[in-house]
């Protein structure tokens, strides 16, 4: 019971592959520096290969018997090849720098994988936006009908938010991908190790230089989980709209069958359970972030066992966020938009009022605040589409003047009240006019391709470095 209190089996299983990579790189470097013999390096690397080949079986059968994955691998290695040889693997290294390095490798992989999923979501949003450039939609503020826009414009807003999420993940990657290996417990080591070499073999971009900082900081975890939380917020906002829009009150979308569930008692129900769980699991990730911050605060330098508790929250946040991105992408790609209902709702509740006020300003020269008061009075008292005569009546009451005498015409009033005209007038940069939306679509596609190339380049760089590591391992496993 007491031993179980300090175990972290799920997190250790997550780090199993990373631990083997760190062990191999460290042994290759020790042999190259003459710290251990070629014969001992070959025996250790052969032993590690056998452990790696056991994979899940090792994790399930051996790991529970030890304090952590790092101890398990070393202990099994010593058991199988003897302490005289296997006991040399840990030379010039502490479990502190080993753990920190393994976590960074695992987080690096999670970031690259999640960045790929975010880009797939962005691509799905851009595809649906391109299909709906002319689909009219009511825009909302405070969940009240505000002004007409287009579905493409709305979907581009979500795509832009996820583009920033990608940028945050990429920025975090740069600080994650620095190597603490060689810092030892916190004061480095008296052995002539080569920290740059192990960093290179493991695909890191840099060495995390100060040995005390290297083993004790988890700020990269805080930053990474913060990125997950921010991404979760944006996913939750989209999920909330899916939930609202699929309700009878809105009726804007029909969810794909794979992302809706029925009721145990009500045959007609089509529940947005997946979107609801995306919304809820954003809160789960927020909880992970608060937990990580709470654990890391006020820890004195250097290493403290408290940091073991950080990793499970990191893992949970990573897995939860990745799953939510995949769900939202499926919903976006598969949902059916009900264009006729969107257009009908776009005309409800005088959504053209802002353009009518703007028209009064442009055509008559009255101040905007005066025009706002006139149209607000119209909106409060009138239903339907106000005529020039009605506008003059309210303008006389509000401003003491007839706007028809100042240049306002029935034609301009009619134009201001047309949904399509409203939208097309808004061709200011970033607006919903068709020309501007098409420009944004093209720009976003280009941005996405640049981002994806940047992500792939990082992935390829790590892959090539790890392939180099495996080549070095194979050379040293085969003794001359």
């Amino acid at each position: 019971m007491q031993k179980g209190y300090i175990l972290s089996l799920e997190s250790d299983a997550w780090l199993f592959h990373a631990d083997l990579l760190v062990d191999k790189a460290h042994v290759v470097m020790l042999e190259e520096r003459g710290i251990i013999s070629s014969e001992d390096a070959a025996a250790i690397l052969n032993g590690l290969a056998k452990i790696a080949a056991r994979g899940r079986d090792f994790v399930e059968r051996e790991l529970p018997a030890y304090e952590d994955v790092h101890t398990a691998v070393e202990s099994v290695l010593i058991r199988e090849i003897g302490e005289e040889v296997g006991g040399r693997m840990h030379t010039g290294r502490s479990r502190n720098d080993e753990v920190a390095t393994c976590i960074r490798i695992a987080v690096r992989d999670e970031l690259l994988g999640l960045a790929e999923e975010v880009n797939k979501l962005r691509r799905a949003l851009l595809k649906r936006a391109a299909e709906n450039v002319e689909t009219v939609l009511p825009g909302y503020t405070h969940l009240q009908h505000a002004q007409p826009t287009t579905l493409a414009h709305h979907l581009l807003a979500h795509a832009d938010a996820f583009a920033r999420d990608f940028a945050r993940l990429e920025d975090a990657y740069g600080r994650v991908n620095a190597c603490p290996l060689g810092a030892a417990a916190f004061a480095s080591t008296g052995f002539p190790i080569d920290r740059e070499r192990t960093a290179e073999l493991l695909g890191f971009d840099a060495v995390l230089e100060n040995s005390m900082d290297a083993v004790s900081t988890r700020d990269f975890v805080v930053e990474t989980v913060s990125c997950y939380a921010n991404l979760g917020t944006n996913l939750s906002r989209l999920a909330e709209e899916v939930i609202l829009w699929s309700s009878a009150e809105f009726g804007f979308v029909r969810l794909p069958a794979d992302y809706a569930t029925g009721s145990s008692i009500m045959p007609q129900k089509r529940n947005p359970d997946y979107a609801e769980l995306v919304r809820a699991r954003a809160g789960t990730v927020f909880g992970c972030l608060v937990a990580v911050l709470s654990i890391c605060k006020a820890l004195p330098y250097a290493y403290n066992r408290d940091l073991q508790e950080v990793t499970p929250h990191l893992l949970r946040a990573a897995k939860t966020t990745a799953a939510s991105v995949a769900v939202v992408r499926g919903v976006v790609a598969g949902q059916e938009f009900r264009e006729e209902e969107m257009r009908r709702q776009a005309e409800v509740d005088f959504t053209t009022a802002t353009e009518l006020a703007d028209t009064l300003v442009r055509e008559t020269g009255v101040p905007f605040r005066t025009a706002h008061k006139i149209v607000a009075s119209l909106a409060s008292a009138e239903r339907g589409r106000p005529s020039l005569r009605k506008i003059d009546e309210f303008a006389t009451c509000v401003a003491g003047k007839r706007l028809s005498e100042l240049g306002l015409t029935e034609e301009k009033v009619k134009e201001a009240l047309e949904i399509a005209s409203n939208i097309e007038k808004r061709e200011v940069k970033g607006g919903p006019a068709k020309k501007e939306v098409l420009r944004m679509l093209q720009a976003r596609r280009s941005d996405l391709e640049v981002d994806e190339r940047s992500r792939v380049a990082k992935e390829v760089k790590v892959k090539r470095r790890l392939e180099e590591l495996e080549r070095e391992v194979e050379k040293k496993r085969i003794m001359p």
Side-chain angles (χ1 to χ4, degrees), residues 129-143:
E131 296 166 356
N132 290 279
V133 173
E134 297 183 0
T135 302
V136 174
L137 176 76
Y140 297 86
T141 62
H142 308 279
L143 262 185

Side-chain angles (χ1 to χ4, degrees), residues 146-147 350-359 368 375 422 426:
Q147 294 177 260
F350 202 179
T351 58
T352 55
T354 302
E355 178 54 32
L356 179 59
D358 289 346
T359 296
F368 175 77
V375 176
N422 262 251
R426 279 151 176 77

Side-chain angles (χ1 to χ4, degrees), residues 27 36 40-41 43-45 47-48 73-91 93:
V27 170
I36 64 174
D40 287 347
I44 293 170
L45 293 171
L48 290 173
V73 170
E74 184 182 9
S75 298
V76 171
L77 180 73
I78 289 173
R79 186 181 74 200
E80 295 184 351
I81 69 173
E83 187 169 328
E84 179 61 29
V85 177
R88 300 182 187 278
M89 181 175 72
H90 208 57
T91 306
R93 188 180 72 179

Side-chain angles (χ1 to χ4, degrees), residues 239-352:
E240 172 69 2
E241 287 183 348
V242 167
I243 293 163
L244 290 172
W245 287 12
S246 63
S247 68
E249 283 71 20
F250 279 77
F252 289 174
V253 301
R254 180 176 173 82
L255 292 174
D258 289 345
Y259 295 95
T261 64
S263 165
S264 64
I265 188 172
M266 294 168 284
Q268 86 284 5
K269 292 298 294 298
R270 191 179 178 85
N271 298 323
D273 285 13
Y274 284 79
E276 288 172 350
L277 286 173
V278 168
R279 184 175 62 182
R281 287 178 183 171
T284 297
V285 177
F286 297 169
C288 293
L289 176 57
V290 172
V292 170
L293 288 166
S294 300
I295 293 165
C296 291
K297 68 147 184 78
L299 288 182
Y301 279 101
Y303 182 82
N304 296 274
R305 191 63 177 262
D306 307 52
L307 294 177
Q308 176 180 295
E309 285 297 292
V310 168
T311 310
H313 297 293
L314 167 63
L315 174 57
R316 188 179 189 191
K319 299 305 182 186
T320 300
T321 305
S324 292
V325 172
V327 166
V328 170
R329 176 165 62 91
V331 171
V332 167
Q335 65 188 344
E336 173 192 334
F337 293 115
R338 291 172 166 169
E339 299 177 24
E340 289 184 9
E341 184 61 20
M342 289 179 176
R343 174 173 285 277
R344 188 184 73 80
Q345 288 289 336
E347 298 182 1
V348 171
D349 220 12
F350 202 179
T351 58
T352 55

